[in-house]
Amino acid sequence: MNILLIMPDAKMHKLKIGPLVRSMREAPLSLAVLAALAPSELDINFQLIDGSIDKIPYDSKPDLVGISVLTGTANRAYQIADHFRRRNIPVVLGGVHPTIMPDEARLHADSIVIGMAENSWPQLLQDFYAGKLKTTYRESSPPGSWLLNIPSPRMDLIRKTGYMLPNSAHATRGCSKTCDFCSVPTVWNRFQKRPVSDVVRDIKQLNSKYIAFGDVNLIDDIEYAKELFTALIKLNIKWGGLATTEVTKDPELFELMVQSGCKFLLIGFESVNQQALNSIAKGFNHNKQYQELINQLHSAGISIQGCFVFGFDHDDTSVFTNTVESVQQLKIDIPRYSIYTPYPGTRLFNRLMTQNRILSLNWEDYDTMHVVYQPERMSPEELYHGFKWAYKETFKLSRIIRRTASFSISCPINFFGNLTYKIFVNRLYNDQRFALPFTRQTNIDSGKMNLEKNNG
């Protein structure tokens, strides 16, 4: 049995040099885990396709197609699904968006998976093999705080040359924080962790000294993180991942993190305005402590990708200059800007819907790089132009050099990270996709009817 697993192009940042395409992200694990979950008694050949670096094999003839769907990739996923279904090839849709919008997803699939996949996906494969595929498979998060018996991802099926960080691992799922714009609490209702021995096993199988963790918040459980970092010390690796601004709060944790080989962290600073942070349930970020945090990380040899969001209800047009200047003063190695985006199912989305402030329900716009709602203190155009200006200003070469702790080929994370965003600035100002704040042809009334149907 031949199964094609697809992750549609999420328009992530990437480098293109002639025919060579390399994504600047870590290798995603979702498809590789799905392949690993297949029952051993079934004879299955998997082909994994990441649309951001691979061409979709539209002419192939698999027995089954599985597509992992994010909100921002939903339109593309549906187009791919419709293509294969027209050729009488059954399609399964799963992931965040079908979990939140199941009735919409059903219009484009023979079967959908709602929620997790550890148990439902193997059952789906057995049913399909027996000719008894159901239209819906639903799985809740397992009880308790542990994720047990998850096999090592089938990394042998991933084209590692397509990623700047090709060797990925995962230790936890979810996050105990409840930031209002985040989909994670909607899909994963608790923080869970894998046994450290399982994580170590996966890392050893990668046979690499450079590892990327894709976990949303690796330090959410302090004692677990200490156990994990202690185990990583023995592996003599260098790694990067995601954490909150609380990463240095526990001195023992931070020391173990440094000793374990941490060299890169992505941190959601979100705003330099404390009122804005408090309003989005991210008051655990303290803007007056940012500089001390960054100094500690740099002193430990850790590069920082700092994420900032524009368009909070407390933001006016001064936010762009204030943020750009703060990024320079803080000396954040690789800044990343995004636009406040109300993903379906989040508290933010529900609030803005109630306030009739949603401007677009075209999922193509839900990429954090378009304005899909009416801002409180500026126009959509002002927010969009300010977002683009901030990128252009931040990634001027003179600013990069002054801001970056180490901008040289000897520090590849900082060098290629800034190079990628500098290239992105050119796309932001010249690609037709970024010409307008959002697609104006969206039928909001029709979209609201679909949302009401999915929400029962």
Side-chain angles (χ1 to χ4, degrees), residues 25-42:
R25 66 166 297 178
E26 76 281 357
L29 292 177
S30 55
L31 301 186
V33 171
L34 289 177
L37 287 168
S40 58
E41 65 271 19
L42 300 182

Side-chain angles (χ1 to χ4, degrees), residues 52 94 160 213 240 251 260 297 310 345 351 355 411 424-425 428 442:
S52 66
K160 292 188 176 183
F213 283 96
S260 69
L297 293 173
F310 297 129
R351 174 170 68 86
Q355 296 171 350
C411 185
F424 171 65
V425 169
L428 200 56
T442 302

Side-chain angles (χ1 to χ4, degrees), residues 339-368:
I339 294 171
Y340 201 31
T341 302
Y343 286 102
T346 63
R347 288 186 292 114
L348 173 62
F349 185 88
N350 294 336
R351 174 170 68 86
L352 294 182
M353 259 316 224
T354 299
Q355 296 171 350
N356 290 316
R357 291 171 59 188
I358 300 292
L359 301 175
S360 171
L361 287 173
N362 179 356
W363 304 133
E364 192 79 11
D365 293 335
Y366 283 66
D367 59 0
T368 75

Side-chain angles (χ1 to χ4, degrees), residues 316-381:
D316 57 27
T317 55
S318 66
V319 69
F320 309 110
T321 300
N322 292 342
T323 303
V324 168
E325 292 307 316
S326 294
V327 161
Q328 288 299 122
Q329 293 168 11
L330 292 168
K331 293 190 179 297
I332 292 176
D333 301 290
I334 310 171
R336 188 173 85 181
Y337 302 130
S338 61
I339 294 171
Y340 201 31
T341 302
Y343 286 102
T346 63
R347 288 186 292 114
L348 173 62
F349 185 88
N350 294 336
R351 174 170 68 86
L352 294 182
M353 259 316 224
T354 299
Q355 296 171 350
N356 290 316
R357 291 171 59 188
I358 300 292
L359 301 175
S360 171
L361 287 173
N362 179 356
W363 304 133
E364 192 79 11
D365 293 335
Y366 283 66
D367 59 0
T368 75
M369 294 181 286
H370 288 86
V371 183
V372 300
Y373 71 103
Q374 175 60 54
E376 183 75 16
R377 302 189 181 188
M378 60 183 116
S379 69
E381 289 74 19

